[in-house]
Amino acid sequence: IPSEVEVIQRWMDAWRKADPALGYFGEYIQAGNAYSPDRFMTLYKTAESYWKQTKRSGETAWSPRALRDRAGIHDAVSHCDKDAIALIGRLRGGYKHLGDQTLTPEEMADGTFDSTRRLYVLMQACLLREIGLDTAEVESLIATHYRSWPVT
């Protein structure tokens, strides 16, 4: 880990680049363990805004897959394999365009919980990267944090 001063400087740089997205992410964290379509959509828009405001040269256009690639953690840690990433996109479409559903109401309800948690893990991993942690450190912190309530 870099020095404490460097970590704080990196955090402040990320905050300046991604304001107000990181403010919304902070509010999301404070909301606790409630999972709803509104919370999913707020997190999705926060992740999209963060991505766009901190986009690096060579990165593709915004998508949950691009966020997963930036997070750079193994699918076994994030549980964001290609099917999970596709579900995140389909849920976003379903909630944004009500009545134009590709998922049943049951699939949307069931998928919202897991997809919200997966997207949250990706945001956490990206922010840990922003402050200078490497893949092994990020994966270890995420695995430890979710040990008592695993992301599936």
Side-chain angles (χ1 to χ4, degrees):
I1 188 166
S3 72
E4 291 176 9
V5 170
E6 189 175 346
V7 166
I8 292 169
Q9 287 173 333
R10 288 180 181 186
W11 175 253
M12 294 309 296
D13 288 344
W15 186 270
R16 278 189 283 282
K17 288 181 207 169
D19 184 46
L22 295 186
Y24 285 116
F25 187 62
E27 287 180 25
Y28 172 89
I29 292 168
Q30 294 300 316
N33 295 328
Y35 295 91
S36 67
D38 289 341
R39 192 161 186 220
F40 171 81
M41 288 300 290
T42 298
L43 181 57
Y44 188 97
K45 292 302 292 175
T46 296
E48 181 179 17
S49 178
Y50 160 76
W51 172 266
K52 289 178 178 179
Q53 292 172 311
T54 61
K55 191 170 184 296
R56 296 165 175 101
S57 65
E59 287 184 326
T60 61
W62 156 253
S63 70
R65 180 178 303 137
L67 186 70
R68 180 193 64 190
D69 293 346
R70 183 189 288 183
I73 59 175
H74 196 276
D75 290 351
V77 176
S78 69
H79 297 275
C80 287
D81 61 17
K82 71 176 188 142
D83 292 336
I85 291 293
L87 179 59
I88 289 170
R90 291 172 63 207
L91 282 167
R92 181 257 181 207
Y95 288 130
K96 183 172 183 189
H97 307 287
L98 297 174
D100 184 22
Q101 305 296 348
T102 61
L103 297 168
T104 67
E106 293 80 19
E107 290 171 320
M108 290 184 75
D110 292 344
T112 298
F113 176 80
D114 290 332
S115 293
T116 301
R117 295 190 77 219
R118 291 175 184 138
L119 196 51
Y120 181 55
V121 167
L122 294 181
M123 280 294 294
Q124 286 176 310
C126 285
L127 294 175
L128 290 170
R129 290 254 191 230
E130 291 279 359
I131 63 170
L133 300 182
D134 66 25
T135 301
E137 292 169 315
V138 171
E139 288 180 343
S140 176
L141 286 170
I142 299 265
T144 300
H145 180 71
Y146 288 99
R147 186 171 292 134
S148 65
W149 191 24
V151 176
T152 57

